[in-house]
Amino acid sequence: MQKMTLVIGNKNYSSWSLRAWLMLRQAGISFEEIRIPLFQSDSRAQLTQWSPSGLVPALHHGALKIWDTLAIGEYINELYPEKRLWPAQPAARAVARAVSAEMHSGFTQLRHNMPMNCRLTFPGKGITPESQADIDRVSAIWRQCRTTYGGDGALLFGAFSIADAMFAPVVLRFKTYEVPLDPVCTAYAAAITALPAMAEWVHAGQQEAERLPAFEPYTVSS
């Protein structure tokens, strides 16, 4: 089988890149990584060479290009069904797809007010009434999935799934902004951050040199 190439942005900031990267890495699927720093003078020109939308992530597999995160997840799940990236049980699988789609299209206030940042912490910042509503909904999803479908595992549906990859950047956001969580959600967040692939991503993000002020709105200038 031809090797895959995944095009991503900055590991410190690009939450969508993390989602696709984590799916592949956690599943143990071999791929080449191409990192294009975002919001540089030549970023758009570089991105459009790889992604029809000019956005990341973009997966290349032979002549095929896939430039949507959930579509990437569905594709690798079909290619590698033995990786079980969706739950095996139909009801659990339907709910996993539903919460993944909700994450894909929603939570705009959380995204806007609490940008992902692996490198810094901003305790309590960005928690507006609107972003708190998103936090509450995320917490409700995590509790429902863990209590109904988690079984003996530590993740949303027990074993790692695409749903966990979709919520992984939120786990990092909650850590960066020190969002208070209930015990169920705290345990789930700890399980995600303990994944070796997550530790690898965070470490790489912390080593990046780029500083993007739009993603660090609470940094105090000297």
Side-chain angles (χ1 to χ4, degrees), residues 156-178:
L156 291 179
F157 297 86
F160 179 82
S161 71
I162 290 170
D164 294 302
M166 293 300 293
F167 282 96
V170 180
V171 170
L172 295 183
R173 283 180 163 98
F174 286 179
K175 182 178 181 181
T176 296
Y177 299 92
E178 296 186 7

Side-chain angles (χ1 to χ4, degrees), residues 136-221:
D136 292 343
R137 175 57 188 151
V138 168
S139 299
I141 289 171
W142 290 0
R143 286 193 300 271
Q144 176 199 4
C145 294
R146 286 290 307 128
T147 56
T148 306
Y149 303 106
D152 296 331
L155 303 181
L156 291 179
F157 297 86
F160 179 82
S161 71
I162 290 170
D164 294 302
M166 293 300 293
F167 282 96
V170 180
V171 170
L172 295 183
R173 283 180 163 98
F174 286 179
K175 182 178 181 181
T176 296
Y177 299 92
E178 296 186 7
V179 175
L181 298 172
D182 62 62
V184 172
C185 294
T186 297
Y188 172 65
I192 288 291
T193 55
L195 294 173
M198 280 290 284
E200 179 186 348
W201 177 278
V202 170
H203 177 74
Q206 291 171 341
Q207 306 309 306
E208 290 179 338
E210 298 90 4
R211 295 292 189 275
L212 301 179
F215 289 85
E216 298 185 5
Y218 308 110
T219 301
V220 177
S221 301

Side-chain angles (χ1 to χ4, degrees), residues 88-161:
Q89 201 273 337
R93 188 164 62 250
V95 172
R97 282 194 163 106
V99 299
S100 296
E102 185 175 352
M103 182 72 254
H104 190 274
S105 61
F107 304 103
T108 56
Q109 292 301 312
L110 175 62
R111 300 181 203 276
H112 175 74
N113 292 302
M114 304 167 75
M116 191 178 90
N117 194 309
C118 303
R119 192 165 48 218
L120 301 175
T121 57
F122 305 106
K125 297 294 186 181
I127 305 180
T128 66
E130 294 79 13
S131 57
Q132 183 63 57
D134 282 351
I135 292 166
D136 292 343
R137 175 57 188 151
V138 168
S139 299
I141 289 171
W142 290 0
R143 286 193 300 271
Q144 176 199 4
C145 294
R146 286 290 307 128
T147 56
T148 306
Y149 303 106
D152 296 331
L155 303 181
L156 291 179
F157 297 86
F160 179 82
S161 71

Side-chain angles (χ1 to χ4, degrees), residues 25-36:
R25 182 71 93 223
Q26 189 63 26
I29 298 168
S30 178
F31 66 98
E32 177 185 357
E33 172 188 315
I34 294 178
R35 175 184 171 275
I36 299 176

